[in-house]
Amino acid sequence: MAMLISGKELAEKEKEKVAREVETLRGEGIRVKLVVIIVGDDPASKTYVAGKAKDCAACGIESEVVRFPQQTTEEELLEKVRACNEDPTVNGLLVQLPLPKHICEKNVINAIAPEKDVDGFTPVNVGRMVIGESCFLPCTPAGCIEMLQSTGLPIDGKKAVVIGRSNIVGKPMALLLCAQNATVTLCHSHTRDLADICRQADILVAAVGRESFVTADMVKEGAVVIDVGINRGADGKLHGDVDFSAVSEKAAFITPVPGGVGLMTRAMLMRNTLEAAKRQSGRFE
Ligand code: GUN
């Protein structure tokens, strides 16, 4: 039976650490602030943004949620991004995705100042990550690495399989595992013999966006399984990409949904926001 990797516990620890540092900075007269921009009424996005604001409050980070209506133009949004770039009281800035179809996400992300890009989505931060330079790591893959490390098992030399090649999760996840000396296979919708490839994985990361996509027959006995999926099921509850009960019988470690990767994503955002404030105040680490 698999051991649970608790996103709740790990995220709480990380947030406590961030909160202590935020407090120290406050003592030195430095305040930490995150701005989150949301466009439209996507219910999932609204939930995510509320979670981010709640974590900021728990860490002593000031947060401002800027809400734009669905019909906002790209130029209006870009104007706000530019204003935040230039506002010295704003340390971290993120635009919640997805954006309405009439707005080009690439243009908006490209407009965010790399030193405030706490999502790690701008080309500058992505490029730095690829070549292993200091950067803001994207929060979900960074959280997954923390969860893997929490098991105490080595990543070095292991076979890792990532399912899903999104810019936000799959691609950076593969890069971060590679940086930890895993041998990485990045699978996607055109991959042949997916189940065979997954069965070879010591570390299996599912970032597909389909409920119960990873079944027990795709998992090696003793594997570590990281479930990035957050899918609203027909039962109205949240489900991951992994058939949790069946896969738990085979894996050595598994992350739950809810209470898994999602909470670590938020905790990594707090870490990045603190880091942004430290760098902007001249505290390089
Ligand atoms: N939409 C889904 N996940 C994320 C995230 O981590 N950051 C942003 N900005 N939008 C998202």
Side-chain angles (χ1 to χ4, degrees), residues 201-219:
D202 303 306
I203 296 165
L204 181 59
V205 181
V208 189
R210 278 166 62 181
E211 184 180 336
S212 294
F213 182 85
V214 174
T215 46
D217 63 296
M218 296 165 76
V219 177

Side-chain angles (χ1 to χ4, degrees), residues 48 52 94-98 119 121 140 168 265:
Y48 295 146
K52 289 168 189 185
L94 73 82
V95 179
Q96 188 66 26
L97 303 179
D119 258 335
F121 288 175
T140 299
I168 295 182
T265 297

